[in-house]
Each structure stands twice: as structure tokens, then as C-alpha cells.
């Protein structure tokens, strides 16, 4: 079995519980990755770690080189990838502080390099994306939450929006009509690229605010940052449980 890789999102430019053994820049056919790929130990198990937005959180969602990141993790030996995702809650079960493992995704992004089959090198493949997340890794995350006593919403549809601005209330109402439960800015093309590259990919989402129009209040960065700080230790504990189960 290959390595487990973790892609850190907002609040996870580093992984506090990870003992880093080495960091290595990986050359890819798609240019530079967001950061060097760190190899280290989590719960006494070897894992890889890559911060999606860079080591200083300087890359907005639409500027992330998703193709390079996923390619570099596979080239470094990963066969499973957990993408961490801070999200806004849309439906009632997804209030701030909720942990969730989505099982579906809708892509509202545009202008991103979203496939390795771009017609520039090699042939064209049409991957099946009926179930966009790897079920075995989804279940591993759900089981890890249970082992550490964390309540988790085991299903949900993620709305992947362009960012970096937050959504309007009307956009959120549209997403809800479309069947979305949570909204974030990095779920695609990450999940699709992972499937193209043959990686088992799942997301651990943590709700840091009610989405626009859902609370009656203006969304502030302080609210997001405060809720994010409350999730960091909980998410880290879940990740240790997943790694330790290998």
C-alpha cells in the first residue's frame, strides 16, 4: 500500500502533529506545486503533507496549481489523498463547527486547469465521476471520527465555487436548490484530477460559518477564523486516527 497524503486547506498551512522528516520540491509536467512536499510521521505512520494555499497561505483558490499538486503527491508515492476543506454551511445539519465527509460535489468553478487530458500530450480519457469520492477512504474518515468521539455528518454535497469572494445570498439559494449542503472554493478540480491520476481521494470538511443569507448576519473573517481555530485540534485528532489505522 502506498502513502497517505494530506492536502492542507485554510488553517492548515502546516500540520501541528506532523513530525517532518524531509521536505522536497517535486518537478512536475504542470509547473510548480503550492509548496514542497513534506514527508513525515503522524501517529507513528509515514504520511505526506502539502499545503494547498502555500506555506504562507498566499495562493487564492483560483491560483492553486491543482494539477501539479496532485501529480507531485502521486510521484512521491501517495495512493490515497485526504483534502482538508473549510466550508460554509447551507442546510440545517451543517452549522459552524460541524465535521463532514461529503459524498457528492457540484462544480461551479471556471477558468481553472481542470484535467490532465487537455489534448496537449497523450490521448483523451473520459473518467467515470458518478461517485466523486473514494468510498473506502470516506469510510476510513467516518470510522476515525467515531473512534475519537467526534460527531460527523457522513454525507453531503459540496458546492465548489470560484472565489476568492464569498457568495451572494441568491447564489447560496441557488446552490441549495441544486442540492448542495456546504460551499467551498477548492473541492474542484482537486477531486476530478485525483480520479484522473488514479488516486483514492476523499475530503474532510469543517464548517466555519453559515453561508450567505443563512444566519441573518454579515459574514466576517473574525467569525471564520474563530471557528477555524476551534476545528484545528479536532481535525488533527481525526487525521491521526486515520493514519494510525494503517
Amino acid at each position: 500500500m502506498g502513502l497517505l497524503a494530506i492536502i492542507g486547506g485554510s488553517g492548515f498551512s502546516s500540520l501541528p502533529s506532523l513530525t517532518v522528516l524531509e521536505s522536497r520540491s517535486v518537478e512536475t509536467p504542470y509547473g510548480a506545486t503550492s509548496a514542497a512536499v513534506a514527508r513525515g510521521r503522524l501517529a507513528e505512520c509515514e504520511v505526506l503533507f502539502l499545503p494547498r494555499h502555500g506555506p504562507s497561505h498566499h495562493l487564492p483558490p483560483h491560483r492553486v496549481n491543482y494539477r501539479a499538486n496532485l501529480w507531485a503527491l502521486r510521484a512521491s508515492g501517495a495512493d490515497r489523498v485526504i483534502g482538508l476543506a473549510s466550508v460554509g454551511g447551507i442546510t440545517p445539519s451543517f452549522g459552524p463547527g460541524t465535521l463532514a465527509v461529503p459524498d457528492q460535489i457540484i462544480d461551479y468553478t471556471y477558468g481553472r486547469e481542470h484535467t490532465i487530458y487537455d489534448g496537449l500530450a497523450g490521448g483523451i480519457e473520459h473518467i467515470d465521476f458518478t461517485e466523486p469520492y473514494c468510498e473506502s477512504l470516506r469510510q476510513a474518515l467516518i470510522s476515525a471520527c467515531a473512534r475519537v468521539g467526534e460527531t460527523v455528518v457522513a454525507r453531503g454535497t459540496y458546492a465548489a465555487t470560484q472565489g476568492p469572494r464569498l457568495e451572494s445570498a441568491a447564489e447560496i439559494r441557488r446552490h441549495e436548490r441544486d442540492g448542495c449542503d456546504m460551499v467551498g472554493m477548492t473541492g474542484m478540480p482537486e477531486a476530478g484530477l485525483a480520479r484522473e491520476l488514479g488516486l483514492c481521494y476523499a475530503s474532510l470538511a469543517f464548517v466555519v460559518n453559515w453561508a450567505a443569507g443563512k444566519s441573518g448576519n454579515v459574514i466576517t473573517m473574525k467569525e471564520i477564523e474563530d471557528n477555524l481555530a476551534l476545528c484545528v485540534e479536532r481535525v488533527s485528532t481525526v487525521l491521526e486516527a486515520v493514519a494510525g489505522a494503517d
Side-chain angles (χ1 to χ4, degrees), residues 159-244:
T161 60
Q162 182 69 358
R165 69 164 176 84
L166 299 176
E167 301 72 33
S168 70
E171 287 170 325
I172 293 301
R173 290 195 296 270
R174 173 198 175 191
H175 298 332
E176 187 168 16
R177 289 195 300 271
D178 286 349
C180 299
D181 299 292
M182 66 195 95
V183 58
M185 301 174 187
T186 58
M188 287 293 287
E190 196 168 271
L193 289 164
R195 179 62 54 84
E196 288 185 344
L197 289 166
L199 294 165
C200 176
Y201 176 91
S203 178
L204 178 58
F206 35 99
V207 183
V208 295
N209 61 281
W210 281 113
K214 289 298 174 179
S215 69
N217 299 319
V218 174
I219 301 169
T220 67
M221 286 309 300
K222 183 180 187 307
E223 173 194 5
I224 291 173
E225 289 166 359
D226 287 349
N227 285 326
L228 184 56
L230 295 174
C231 291
V232 169
E233 184 175 350
R234 298 167 59 205
V235 168
S236 297
T237 300
V238 173
L239 293 174
E240 289 179 40
V242 174

Side-chain angles (χ1 to χ4, degrees), residues 129-141:
F129 206 53
T130 306
E131 303 295 335
Y133 298 102
C134 177
E135 188 61 22
S136 63
L137 190 52
R138 273 195 359 96
Q139 292 301 324
L141 282 164

